[in-house]
Amino acid sequence: MQLAVWTYEGPPHIGAMRVADSMVGLHYVLHAPQGDTYADLLFTMIQRSGRRPPVTYSTFQARDLGGDTAELFMAAARDAYERFRPQALLVGASCTAELIQDDPGGLARTLGLPIPVVAVELPAYQKKENWGAAETFYQVVRAFAGALPPPGTRRERRAVPRCNILGPTSLGFRNRDDLREVRHLLDLLGIEVNLVAPLGASPADLARIGDADFNVVLYPEIANPVAAWLKRAFGQEATRTVPIGVGATRDFIREVAALAGVDPGPALRAEDTRLPWYSRSVDSTYLTGKRVFVFGDATHAVAAARVASKELGFRVVGIGTYSRELAREVRDCAARHGVESLIADDYLEVEARIAELQPELVLGTQMERHVAKRLGIPCAVISAPVHVQDFPARTSPQMGFEGANVLFDTWVHPLMMGLEEHLLAMFRDDFEFHDGAAPSHLGHAAKAAPMAEAVAPAPVAAAAPAAAVWAPEAEAELRKIPFFVRGKARRNTERFALERGIATITVETLYDAKAHFAR
């Protein structure tokens, strides 16, 4: 067993909790020891939800293990029903409680409660959070989806097409804001939204999930099992394109329009994003060819790689995911970019790959943000797991045309700020930038403001054992290299000198090494 300081996903009961918190009228009774009740903090402190999640814990302690923990769970379930009066109960066990095998589903059914009880068995030691959310959503939909149509029944096309939106959940990365953008696109196409699930849906709402003509799948990690079942049970087709980026949003509009039998023109003509304009501008030449490493859940990683390479002119040098259920999609994406995929849930493996590739920008999770900060590389967060700062009070979608504007800002600004820091450091010795500089055009009437301390160059990595000595003029030339690639330039030059037996690195050695590694 490997002890991890950070994990990309929690255990599967956290996924079940996300579904319960997303829905209305559904309460989750979780058989769990006292230490497993931390999950409330995810919603109140990270997501900053205005209400406590609809979860009741049995909260047994070590001293209870010698007694009747089953009775503790049954008492918690009875109390939850009496206190909250939900439409339905969801019951299950945490990873720790799974070991004592009390069977929460069977225990809850013996209570004879006058509401439906949905039991979810989530193998905590084989599966993780997103799988738990997908399985819980699937079981809840199966329980409340209503009567299936008679075999062979064909759905008649309505005058106003109708769809379900599947996948948004609590704690999902920008799910609330993405939903707003996608609703806007559907409205432009004249498509009615039958329901959104699980976010905002009640068990009663799910009874009419079969009334839609097709399904819009926004987050495949959560919604794929439900979409596949709805196709088998109700004959509903589902979208495959996730509208992240300008090109994908256009493709999404055309795909939805084809499923609904409507004209895509109104939504395509409403395109309002500055990303394509900037990508064609002269200023964007600074971004062209920037080396980027992408890591996150499969949906956001694949989408980010497309936007980075096709819409911003970056070069994808690495891509990976912790979503093993969708690893094939990421491997296919990596093959299209001619790079090797990284399928891992160990952040140390990801850190090692980033250090090896030395990209100029990292697009990842909050863990990659920490890693990139240590390595002195700009980073933008594109996927869960995220921190509180990635649940902004403002609207900040990833999807749709407005989402493309957000991507443009959050990805480009770290690079531009890095360039600004580099220029400040590069010109800090210029006569116009020091305390003895001539007064401004305001003359003696202007009072000199205290000069801010110059931005110091980022610390460079220590030389490897037996490395060559840097001449002062070579060190000065090295500092002219942007800080976010300076470490790699130093290491490559030292390796070049070591392999050739060069004892002192000069400016010529630095440029010889640059030419050698640029081939």
Side-chain angles (χ1 to χ4, degrees), residues 273-291:
T273 175
R274 302 186 70 193
L275 191 154
W277 161 80
Y278 188 84
S279 296
R280 295 191 299 268
S281 72
V282 174
D283 289 343
S284 73
T285 55
Y286 170 68
L287 304 176
T288 303
K290 290 293 182 186
R291 304 170 71 256

Side-chain angles (χ1 to χ4, degrees), residues 100-121:
I100 60 178
Q101 300 181 337
D102 273 340
D103 185 19
L107 293 172
R109 281 188 284 270
T110 64
L111 296 175
L113 299 175
I115 57 172
V117 174
V118 180
V120 285
E121 295 185 8

Side-chain angles (χ1 to χ4, degrees), residues 179-499:
L179 182 57
R180 178 175 175 176
E181 290 303 308
V182 170
R183 278 184 173 275
H184 175 61
L185 293 175
L186 295 173
D187 186 58
L188 291 172
L189 292 170
I191 297 171
E192 178 183 328
V193 176
N194 180 49
L195 61 84
V196 178
L199 191 64
S202 68
D205 291 333
L206 294 180
R208 53 185 178 83
I209 198 169
D211 294 340
D213 299 305
F214 63 96
N215 294 305
V216 172
V217 173
L218 293 189
Y219 307 100
E221 284 86 353
I222 309 299
N224 267 353
V226 168
W229 182 77
L230 290 172
K231 181 175 182 180
R232 296 193 302 270
F234 294 95
Q236 296 171 341
E237 297 292 337
T239 59
R240 297 181 60 85
T241 305
V242 178
I244 297 178
V246 177
T249 299
R250 293 170 182 163
D251 292 345
F252 173 80
I253 289 170
R254 295 186 185 100
E255 183 181 16
V256 168
L259 289 173
V262 299
D263 177 16
L268 292 173
R269 288 191 293 272
E271 179 177 317
D272 183 20
T273 175
R274 302 186 70 193
L275 191 154
W277 161 80
Y278 188 84
S279 296
R280 295 191 299 268
S281 72
V282 174
D283 289 343
S284 73
T285 55
Y286 170 68
L287 304 176
T288 303
K290 290 293 182 186
R291 304 170 71 256
V292 61
F293 177 85
V294 184
F295 193 87
D297 68 45
T299 296
H300 286 91
V302 170
R306 175 177 176 176
V307 174
S309 63
K310 301 296 184 184
E311 299 177 21
L312 287 172
F314 296 156
R315 182 160 68 94
V316 176
V317 296
I319 181 171
T321 185
Y322 57 83
S323 304
R324 295 187 183 276
E325 292 82 9
L326 295 176
R328 178 179 297 177
E329 285 79 353
V330 175
R331 290 192 181 100
D332 290 345
C333 179
R336 290 194 296 273
H337 290 279
V339 298
E340 182 183 355
S341 63
L342 175 62
I343 312 300
D345 56 7
D346 182 349
Y347 70 94
L348 294 175
E349 283 188 52
V350 182
E351 179 174 6
R353 183 66 63 88
I354 294 172
E356 173 192 349
L357 294 173
Q358 282 293 311
E360 293 159 282
L361 176 67
V362 173
L363 303 174
T365 73
Q366 70 161 334
M367 275 138 31
E368 283 67 54
R369 174 165 52 201
H370 293 306
V371 166
K373 185 176 182 180
R374 286 200 300 275
L375 297 175
I377 303 172
C379 179
V381 174
I382 62 163
S383 162
V386 293
H387 201 267
V388 61
Q389 70 189 72
D390 297 304
F391 286 95
R394 69 186 185 280
T395 301
S396 185
Q398 302 288 285
M399 294 185 182
F401 294 124
E402 184 59 27
N405 286 331
V406 173
L407 296 181
F408 167 74
D409 286 341
T410 54
W411 297 9
V412 170
H413 288 175
L415 287 171
M416 301 305 287
M417 295 304 101
L419 175 63
E420 182 177 301
E421 285 189 40
H422 168 58
L423 292 175
L424 286 172
M426 188 170 164
F427 290 106
R428 72 181 186 274
D429 294 325
D430 191 280
F431 73 93
E432 293 185 55
F433 289 89
H434 61 76
D435 292 336
S440 73
H441 67 282
L442 296 176
H444 297 292
K447 197 169 184 181
M451 178 66 73
E453 185 177 334
V455 177
V460 292
V469 176
W470 284 75
E473 64 274 12
E475 282 278 10
E477 192 70 15
L478 180 68
R479 291 194 187 97
K480 296 179 183 179
I481 298 173
F483 73 94
F484 43 83
V485 292
R486 192 179 302 147
K488 181 177 181 180
R490 174 180 281 274
R491 288 190 294 273
N492 283 348
T493 304
E494 290 173 348
R495 190 173 75 186
F496 178 85
L498 187 63
E499 290 173 353

Side-chain angles (χ1 to χ4, degrees), residues 52-138:
R52 184 186 175 279
V55 182
T56 295
Y57 304 94
S58 59
T59 321
F60 59 85
Q61 301 178 46
R63 65 172 178 264
D64 297 317
L65 294 177
D68 192 354
T69 53
E71 181 54 42
L72 289 175
F73 173 80
M74 294 169 70
R78 279 191 296 263
D79 291 346
Y81 170 72
E82 292 295 335
R83 180 179 180 185
F84 299 106
R85 297 287 174 169
Q87 294 180 24
L89 276 187
L90 183 68
V91 299
S94 74
C95 47
T96 309
E98 181 184 331
L99 299 174
I100 60 178
Q101 300 181 337
D102 273 340
D103 185 19
L107 293 172
R109 281 188 284 270
T110 64
L111 296 175
L113 299 175
I115 57 172
V117 174
V118 180
V120 285
E121 295 185 8
L122 306 174
Y125 299 96
Q126 290 81 40
K127 300 292 185 178
K128 295 194 174 181
E129 180 181 330
N130 279 341
W131 184 91
E135 177 67 13
T136 302
F137 184 33
Y138 172 75

